[in-house]
Amino acid sequence: MSAEGPVLQKSFSVLCLGSEDTELSQRVESEQGGLLALPTLTFLPFFFSLHEEISDFYEYMSPRPEEEKMRMEVVNRIESVIKELWPSADVQIFGSFKTGLYLPTSDIDLVVFGKWENLPLWTLEEALRKHKVADEDSVKVLDKATVPIIKLTDSFTEVKVDISFNVQNGVRAADLIKDFTKVREFIAFIQ
């Protein structure tokens, strides 16, 4: 005990993988309010290899140009059906596909902007079936949801798609995320 009160000691063990098959456990201690001793250089190979693993995984999971092309073909098929019904409608992509942060199993989120007295969920659902854009059993209209949508699975690629009407929040959010990722890429570039 010190004159100012008890000195609390914090200690923890950090497992560090060294070269070959050796494991190094290092004890680091600090006093409350004191500076934590910095790890020795034996930690650097571990952190660099972890960084490399994360980078490799990111590259592995990142969409390939073929995936993006395939998804754009799905969007184009659906958009052509929508434009046939409502030539002045505006179809926009949002969500992970818009931001480029989608995984191979991610769906495509679309929003259709137009002027309707009532949302034309059932009209579009029928047209998508008629044009065989969606698997017959996969089209579902969720008209009682907070944000009414049409859920479907593309008949050629089996990619899932959600279609909403006149909802701007998703498009704005996707644009914001794209801006953030550009800033992150810029920061990584200047470092």
Side-chain angles (χ1 to χ4, degrees):
M1 245 199 225
S2 70
E4 293 124 14
V7 175
L8 299 176
Q9 297 248 330
K10 294 181 187 175
S11 66
F12 55 94
S13 294
V14 180
L15 183 62
C16 176
L17 299 175
S19 60
E20 298 162 22
D21 292 321
T22 62
E23 291 184 5
L24 172 66
S25 180
Q26 185 177 45
R27 193 168 200 58
V28 180
E29 296 180 356
S30 71
E31 292 183 7
Q32 184 178 4
L35 293 175
L36 184 65
L38 293 175
T40 63
L41 292 179
T42 57
F43 287 90
L44 290 178
F46 172 75
F47 287 116
F48 285 133
S49 65
L50 178 61
H51 171 77
E52 287 298 316
E53 267 191 61
I54 292 169
S55 295
D56 290 346
F57 181 72
Y58 175 80
E59 280 298 313
Y60 176 74
M61 293 304 293
S62 292
R64 303 286 178 258
E66 303 84 39
E67 290 175 287
E68 184 169 354
K69 181 180 180 215
M70 182 257 313
R71 286 171 176 267
M72 280 308 302
E73 289 170 358
V74 172
V75 170
N76 292 336
R77 278 194 296 278
I78 293 170
E79 186 173 17
S80 69
V81 172
I82 292 169
K83 291 289 191 175
E84 184 179 303
L85 292 170
W86 309 288
S88 63
D90 180 29
V91 179
Q92 292 189 27
I93 304 165
F94 68 100
S96 61
F97 182 50
K98 170 83 178 236
T99 63
L101 300 174
Y102 62 96
L103 297 173
T105 57
S106 297
D107 67 354
I108 299 173
D109 298 299
L110 299 176
V111 61
V112 183
F113 294 102
K115 296 182 190 283
W116 299 281
E117 296 255 340
N118 297 311
L119 294 181
L121 297 161
W122 298 103
T123 306
L124 181 55
E125 182 256 358
E126 184 180 321
L128 291 167
R129 286 181 197 266
K130 180 180 148 195
H131 285 84
K132 299 187 186 329
V133 170
D135 285 336
E136 193 67 30
D137 299 332
S138 77
V139 184
K140 304 225 181 324
V141 175
L142 305 178
D143 58 346
K144 304 281 190 258
T146 305
V147 176
I149 62 170
I150 299 173
K151 295 180 86 57
L152 63 98
T153 302
D154 180 66
S155 57
F156 297 107
T157 63
E158 296 190 9
V159 170
K160 295 183 183 330
V161 181
D162 291 346
I163 305 171
S164 59
F165 290 84
N166 294 334
V167 180
Q168 295 183 356
N169 294 346
V171 176
R172 288 185 190 142
D175 289 338
L176 181 66
I177 291 169
K178 281 183 83 167
D179 289 344
F180 284 150
T181 56
K182 286 177 189 172
V183 169
R184 191 189 87 220
E185 289 168 6
F186 176 72
I187 290 171
F189 174 75
I190 62 174
Q191 288 180 343

